[in-house]
Amino acid sequence: MKRMSDISDISMGATPAPEGDEARYLRLANVIEGQIVGDAIEGGRPVKGFDSRLQIDDILVRGRGPDLSAALVGEQHVDAYPTVELYVIRVDRDVAEPAYVVAYINQPHIQAGLAQGSQGTGFVRLNRPTLADLDIPLPPMMEQRMIGSLALEAQQELAILQEITERKKQLHSELLHRAMAKARAEDCNPQHGRKTGRTTRKRPQAFFPLTQKVPFK
């Protein structure tokens, strides 16, 4: 069992300059339930925390709750900066597998422990000492890789299922919109060929061509 600070470097995110677009930033809203979602936004160069530029397999941890989950940085977000609402954990790869550390942090009882040790009552704020003092068991590296791989597969499957669910919602919404639009159109337009009330049949009138003379009696 090791403390998190014994196997990794933990740092805060960066503070961007108020103007400019020289850097990309990941915000708190980009880390949700153990996933990095959406794209980084452009911002000014960092004026604080400039050494927190992300590398592959860095770990981002939400600094505000109730979700204090961790997420693994992939190629898409390399060289971006996290904002100050996120912590960056860079583990020693000789003793710990990053995916395993993410899986450990995201366990429900660990999340509950982090929340309990955090500051604030109405709004949870994770402080660095609580994260640094987190005890983490370190099985052999082969076992860590297996656990980390299983956790990543489960996360990817969950992301795919969420995308399928979202697309089904959009499809159902579009079908309902079209059906309602068609119903409104049919209600507003008269139906061709429809007869209402009693009709009186007119007798045909005699027709004489203009070139034909009408005989007088």
Side-chain angles (χ1 to χ4, degrees), residues 4 7 69 79 136 157 209 215:
M4 187 66 72
I7 64 169
S69 61
D79 290 335
I136 178 169
E157 183 178 349

Side-chain angles (χ1 to χ4, degrees), residues 32-37 151-167:
I32 301 175
E33 296 181 353
Q35 300 180 67
I36 299 179
V37 299
L152 285 176
E153 289 177 4
Q155 196 74 351
Q156 291 169 358
E157 183 178 349
L158 178 61
I160 292 172
L161 291 174
Q162 289 174 342
E163 184 177 356
I164 292 173
T165 300
E166 185 60 31
R167 290 189 178 185

Side-chain angles (χ1 to χ4, degrees), residues 112-170:
L114 290 175
Q116 186 176 4
S118 300
Q119 297 175 341
T121 53
F123 197 81
V124 177
R125 184 181 297 275
L126 179 62
N127 54 56
R128 189 181 181 282
T130 298
L131 186 59
D133 290 339
L134 178 64
D135 289 327
I136 178 169
L138 295 174
M141 288 297 295
M142 184 175 294
E143 188 174 344
Q144 289 188 41
R145 293 191 182 100
M146 181 187 69
I147 295 173
S149 178
L150 288 173
L152 285 176
E153 289 177 4
Q155 196 74 351
Q156 291 169 358
E157 183 178 349
L158 178 61
I160 292 172
L161 291 174
Q162 289 174 342
E163 184 177 356
I164 292 173
T165 300
E166 185 60 31
R167 290 189 178 185
K168 287 178 67 176
K169 286 182 180 179
Q170 294 175 359

Side-chain angles (χ1 to χ4, degrees), residues 186-207:
E186 291 177 349
D187 184 61
C188 294
N189 296 329
Q191 298 183 11
H192 297 292
R194 183 178 178 184
K195 297 179 180 179
T196 58
R198 185 177 178 179
T199 58
T200 304
R201 202 173 167 186
K202 294 183 179 180
R203 297 177 64 182
Q205 298 178 353
F207 176 76

